[in-house]
Amino acid sequence: DGELVQYHYGLKDLVTILFYIFIAIILHAVVQEYALDKINRRLHLSKVKHSKFNESGQLVAFHLTSVIWCLYVVVTEGYISNPRSLWENYPHVYLPFQVKFFYLCQLAYWLHALPELYFQKVRKEEIPRQLRCIALYLVHITGAYLLNLTRLGLILLLLQYLAEFFFHMARLVYFTDENNEKLFNVWAVVFVVTRLFTLTLYILVMGFGLPRVENQTLDPERGNFFSFLFNNILFRMSVLLLVCLFQASVMWRFIHFQLRRWREYWNEQSSRKRAAATAGTKQQAKPLKRDSGYHENGVVKAENGTSLRTKKLKSP
């Protein structure tokens, strides 16, 4: 009757995560069977594009669901309207049901992606990249969950999933029509904006928020693991420097990718122009078709030696 129930993490979470791993495998199979396979039969893609299309199709469904769900959670919990709540009353040991359930489902999804590498028969060349992506998501989500940084983790996941949704959506559109790359430009803008917001959040929470928390002592029993470290200005500046360097490396890879893509685009356009100019030159230099027969003293003769000019008949 109006009593607010909150939850803490524990060993029973492992059983819950295992259950939702099976749910995620079933949903993965449903999306593959009733959506992606039907589209693949119509497009007749190659093996390489077929694998990438399936990967992007699954991630588009997951990222869209996660963005809507995460946005609903952060709005209803007031994390966007009140940015101070991201660090106030840290550590955030006790969680509302929807926050805890969101994190457990996220962990279940990324853990289910490991057996899916075998079920989907992913090519060996693609396995290291996908394993690295899965490991990074698991480390960051688990770290935010166990270190009681769930509020900050929700906002960061929302930004990350939003950029990833546009990227994989652009890949799907590109596979259906290789001349359509407009969504890649939209993804580029969203990616830059989300990186800036991510860096701003790190500086705001770690540089100004956590150092002002009242409890600045190490207390693992209460979930306070490292807020006392941010009271040390040297440690705080070192962490912020590492964050800035990491975001700078991500942006450098992004800029390098965009420059390579634009260079390939302009090379393709210039080659098309050269091919069109060459075709036009050949068409102009094409010889005119000559009449049958041969020339003798400027008069065209037929093969039997008679002139092709019509003779003028004399009147009787």
Side-chain angles (χ1 to χ4, degrees), residues 137-205:
Y137 273 113
L138 287 175
V139 168
H140 283 80
I141 295 173
T142 305
Y145 185 63
L146 296 180
L147 297 177
N148 302 312
L149 289 170
T150 50
R151 299 180 182 181
L152 176 62
L154 282 173
I155 305 297
L156 295 178
L157 278 178
L158 176 61
L159 295 173
Q160 176 67 18
Y161 286 164
L162 185 63
E164 289 291 310
F165 167 75
F166 279 101
F167 173 72
H168 289 287
M169 194 67 197
R171 286 180 72 182
L172 290 181
V173 174
Y174 175 76
F175 289 141
T176 56
D177 183 9
E178 294 186 355
N179 295 322
N180 192 348
E181 297 185 0
K182 294 181 180 179
L183 268 182
F184 279 110
N185 298 327
V186 177
W187 164 71
V189 175
V190 174
F191 182 86
V192 173
V193 173
T194 53
R195 290 303 99 191
L196 292 176
F197 272 102
T198 299
L199 184 60
T200 304
L201 275 176
Y202 273 119
I203 295 174
L204 183 64
V205 175

Side-chain angles (χ1 to χ4, degrees), residues 19-29 58 105 108-110 112-113 116:
F19 172 77
Y20 283 103
I21 286 175
F22 295 124
I23 298 297
I25 291 175
I26 294 172
L27 294 177
H28 189 113
Q58 293 288 346
C105 289
Y109 178 86
W110 291 110
H112 112 280
E116 286 294 342

Side-chain angles (χ1 to χ4, degrees), residues 33-77:
E33 178 70 22
Y34 293 99
L36 298 179
D37 285 346
K38 292 183 178 180
I39 299 174
N40 276 319
R41 293 191 193 101
R42 295 181 179 181
L43 296 178
H44 304 289
L45 299 174
S46 63
K47 290 184 178 180
V48 176
K49 289 184 177 181
H50 179 83
S51 176
K52 292 182 178 180
F53 184 88
N54 289 336
E55 177 191 358
S56 294
Q58 293 288 346
L59 289 175
V60 161
F62 168 72
H63 288 317
L64 179 60
T65 305
S66 297
V67 165
I68 296 174
W69 188 5
C70 188
L71 184 62
Y72 173 79
V73 172
V74 297
V75 169
T76 54
E77 294 296 332

